[in-house]
Amino acid sequence: MRIFVVDDDPMGLKAISLFLSKSGHDVESFSNGMDLLTKLESSPLPDLVLSDVYMPRMDGLELLKRVRDKFRDLPVVIMTSSRELDVTVKALNLGAFAYLLKPLVMEEVGWMVLRVSENNRLRQELAQEQERMVHSQRLAELGVLSAGIAHEINNPNTFIRGNLDLLAKMWEKITPKLENNHGQNDPGVDLVRKEFPLILKGMIEGSDRISQIVHSLSTYTRHESEPKTNETSSIENVMAETFSLLARKVDGIQTTVAGIEPTMRIRLPEVKLLQVLVNLLSNALDALAGRPEPIVTIQVKREGASFLSISVTDNGPGFSPQSMSKLGTPFYTTKGPGEGTGLGLYITHQIVTRCGGKLVFTQREGGGAVATATLPAVES
Amino acid sequence: MKILLVDDEVEILNMLKRHLELEGFQVDTVTDPLKALDLMHQNLYNLVLTDIRMPSMLGTELIPQLKEINPLVNVVIMTGFSSMSYIVECIGEGAVDYFTKPFTHMENLMETLRHLRQKIARWQESMKR
């Protein structure tokens, strides 16, 4: 721990500083409160301030008040004597963490430092937990908001898409006429004839992309209202279906599947398990695009009596440290525009955790990524 | 074949109307389900193509009322992302088919309608004989 000690008595200061540094702490000593305050302003905060009460220029109570004003979370322990009970009470009222009675017993000082360190740790954990809660609440709000937006976007996208189909139909009708009426070359007409179908195609693709995003958004927010089921599904069947769905992507990539037994069943409806497997496998396949000797390995293992783990390993580029912490955050994607909505892993994560499972990402030794879904399972 | 289109989004009605008229169907459109019921009293529709989530009425309420006016009318529903269980409920009320918006395969919808037209024609033929 980093500890600041302040005492106007040089002998006392030396004794306690020596004791604390011998116990492995990083100690800085000060002979008056002003110096300590200046140091607090200009350097990273210590974990604890140990302060004497009676000092010239600025006494311990004044120092305590100023420290509490500026650095609320910094614990201050005051050193006082049994004859100064009223001062001690004042100090505690001002927010001192605790007091030590002079003459100091070093064991007691050591014990106090431990208590402060434990307290700091707990406070830090609490702060992190609070941050996590705020974060997950924000995500929940985002979910509700997204569902509303998805709905609003779907309607206009419906008539945009439908009207584009109409334009395509009309274009088909009119092109022969454009050819007939213009025997000789008209550059303007030629340009339209060349560009119009491409423009239409681009717009139809754009609209389909919108509907894909909207659809993922609606599935990602929907399951709140879904009833709990006791459905289970055969991992063997769903794995086969996964591969048939991704057949074109799997083409040219060496894949091995190991550890699946016909009796293994996952406590998830087939559609959900399919969504999980398709997502994990297609992420692995996407990571391998254009890489030499691409390999994907799927390993299924029993984890105790009631869980199965499914690991999907690829020898692609793996995760960067930044992307690692953001995996499973909605709308975060490492893929290029149009290639991913950033919702796949989020949905997968939701499905896995809601059924009581776990989704973990690790780096593969020698490069590549491992995604492991541990899911509740039964045997049939 | 006479079709009534019901959707609270007027541009969706316009778009569908154009598609259906290109196919040679006769089409009326209405944004308010209550007005749809009025129109049902005045016209003999072969088909009602309707949204199932509208501000003034839900599909599960509208379908039985349509059927009450004209028991022979075919109802096909359209939906953004209603849950499957809700779609099933609407089918339970008498809808014959459903389509999800956006219609990325408009041809499927048209195919269903052409099929229905043939069925109706055959049925009318047999009535004449």
Side-chain angles (χ1 to χ4, degrees):
Chain A
M1 275 217 306
R2 195 149 168 266
I3 304 170
F4 285 5
V5 187
V6 56
D7 196 334
D8 62 323
D9 164 26
M11 287 309 286
L13 186 62
K14 194 156 193 185
I16 188 166
S17 301
L18 205 63
F19 168 74
L20 288 172
S21 22
K22 276 200 174 156
S23 321
H25 298 292
D26 173 10
V27 185
E28 272 184 66
S29 30
F30 302 85
S31 60
N32 65 75
M34 284 314 289
D35 287 356
L36 185 135
L37 276 177
T38 318
K39 184 77 185 186
L40 283 181
E41 303 271 8
S42 62
S43 75
L45 286 184
D47 304 300
L48 166 65
V49 172
L50 265 177
S51 168
D52 186 24
V53 176
Y54 287 114
M55 295 180 286
R57 277 168 65 199
M58 184 196 291
D59 71 3
L61 290 184
E62 181 60 26
L63 175 65
L64 173 64
K65 215 188 284 175
R66 294 210 194 171
V67 170
R68 296 289 299 168
D69 275 352
K70 281 210 163 153
F71 315 97
R72 263 211 88 69
D73 289 338
L74 175 57
V76 179
V77 171
I78 56 154
M79 300 179 279
T80 168
S81 82
S82 52
R83 278 163 298 148
E84 300 158 348
L85 192 63
D86 54 330
V87 179
T88 311
V89 171
K90 262 188 206 157
L92 289 174
N93 277 335
L94 284 172
F97 178 83
Y99 61 91
L100 286 167
L101 285 183
K102 281 186 167 180
L104 294 175
V105 179
M106 285 310 160
E107 283 79 7
E108 201 181 350
V109 175
W111 172 82
M112 181 62 74
V113 168
L114 268 181
R115 255 189 69 197
V116 170
S117 136
E118 178 67 7
N119 189 267
N120 285 355
R121 191 182 59 79
L122 287 174
R123 207 175 39 215
Q124 209 173 0
E125 269 175 26
L126 188 68
Q128 277 169 359
E129 186 54 36
Q130 256 165 353
E131 202 176 306
R132 264 198 295 276
M133 272 171 62
V134 167
H135 183 65
S136 64
Q137 188 172 354
R138 269 200 211 122
L139 284 186
E141 280 163 14
L142 178 70
V144 175
L145 185 71
S146 313
I149 294 173
H151 234 104
E152 291 308 314
I153 293 174
N154 202 47
N155 266 350
N157 194 40
T158 299
F159 60 74
I160 289 173
R161 184 63 170 81
N163 280 327
L164 287 171
D165 275 343
L166 266 175
L167 280 182
K169 264 190 197 173
M170 290 171 173
W171 176 250
E172 253 175 61
K173 282 195 179 155
I174 210 166
T175 28
K177 289 190 180 140
L178 285 178
E179 277 171 57
N180 292 343
N181 292 352
H182 295 263
Q184 72 270 48
N185 279 5
D186 178 334
V189 174
D190 283 348
L191 185 72
V192 173
R193 269 177 47 203
K194 199 173 122 246
E195 290 295 329
F196 195 89
L198 296 176
I199 292 170
L200 265 185
K201 193 167 160 267
M203 290 199 287
I204 287 175
E205 274 171 16
S207 162
D208 285 351
R209 220 149 93 189
I210 291 173
S211 83
Q212 217 178 17
I213 295 169
V214 160
H215 188 255
S216 339
L217 276 179
S218 70
T219 43
Y220 126 70
T221 46
R222 200 191 286 153
H223 23 215
E224 303 285 0
S225 57
E226 273 179 22
K228 277 207 164 179
T229 63
N230 290 322
E231 267 180 77
T232 63
S233 39
S234 149
I235 184 160
E236 196 180 27
N237 294 349
V238 178
M239 190 63 80
E241 205 176 330
T242 304
F243 271 90
S244 74
L245 274 174
L246 296 175
R248 238 189 311 155
K249 274 178 140 179
V250 172
D251 202 27
I253 291 172
Q254 188 195 325
T255 51
T256 45
V257 182
I260 295 186
E261 290 168 29
T263 54
M264 289 174 168
R265 296 187 75 83
I266 301 282
R267 286 184 182 279
L268 267 178
E270 270 191 21
V271 204
K272 299 265 168 190
L273 181 58
L274 187 66
Q275 228 172 331
V276 172
L277 294 184
V278 165
N279 249 309
L280 296 185
L281 181 57
S282 73
N283 272 335
L285 296 172
D286 287 343
L288 292 173
R291 292 181 70 89
E293 296 180 44
I295 302 172
V296 172
T297 318
I298 300 178
Q299 175 73 49
V300 177
K301 260 194 281 186
R302 287 198 176 81
E303 303 287 341
S306 47
F307 282 92
L308 279 179
S309 69
I310 307 167
S311 300
V312 181
T313 308
D314 65 67
N315 62 344
F319 307 110
S320 71
Q322 304 101 286
S323 66
M324 196 96 175
S325 65
K326 285 190 186 148
L327 289 174
T329 307
F331 304 110
Y332 177 76
T333 181
T334 55
K335 298 173 190 173
E339 289 164 32
T341 57
L343 288 170
L345 272 188
Y346 182 71
I347 294 168
T348 307
H349 186 257
Q350 294 282 320
I351 294 175
V352 171
T353 48
R354 279 190 190 167
C355 74
K358 224 171 48 181
L359 185 62
V360 177
F361 301 94
T362 45
Q363 305 277 17
R364 173 180 168 268
E365 270 177 52
V370 188
T372 306
T374 308
L375 295 163
V378 282
E379 298 285 322
S380 65
Chain B
M1 184 159 100
K2 229 174 157 185
I3 300 176
L4 177 61
L5 290 178
V6 192
D7 197 309
D8 57 322
E9 174 72 59
V10 74
E11 280 302 330
I12 290 181
L13 289 178
N14 292 342
M15 178 274 290
L16 283 172
K17 187 174 169 67
R18 291 184 199 118
H19 270 281
L20 295 172
E21 284 179 347
L22 269 185
E23 286 286 331
F25 295 110
Q26 240 182 300
V27 183
D28 287 338
T29 61
V30 64
T31 51
D32 181 357
L34 291 170
K35 293 234 173 71
L37 294 174
D38 289 343
L39 281 172
M40 281 293 284
H41 280 294
Q42 294 155 22
N43 299 280
L44 204 58
Y45 293 105
N46 303 103
L47 173 78
V48 177
L49 189 56
T50 180
D51 189 19
I52 51 173
R53 279 192 191 276
M54 289 173 286
S56 62
M57 207 188 285
L58 287 175
T60 41
E61 300 165 307
L62 178 63
I63 298 166
Q65 295 185 55
L66 294 170
K67 286 275 180 186
E68 204 180 294
I69 300 166
N70 177 359
L72 290 178
V73 75
N74 292 288
V75 180
V76 170
I77 56 175
M78 316 179 273
T79 173
F81 0 72
S82 298
S83 67
M84 210 54 213
S85 63
Y86 187 65
I87 293 173
V88 169
E89 237 177 275
C90 287
I91 288 177
E93 292 293 344
V96 291
D97 205 347
Y98 77 96
F99 288 91
T100 51
K101 297 180 200 172
F103 311 100
T104 39
H105 301 282
M106 187 58 86
E107 205 34 45
N108 292 352
L109 175 61
M110 292 304 145
E111 199 48 55
T112 304
L113 300 187
R114 278 182 220 127
H115 188 73
L116 203 61
R117 174 159 59 188
Q118 280 170 7
K119 213 170 88 181
I120 289 166
R122 274 203 300 275
W123 185 70
Q124 282 169 341
E125 200 63 31
S126 67
M127 288 297 280
K128 271 186 217 156
R129 269 191 250 121

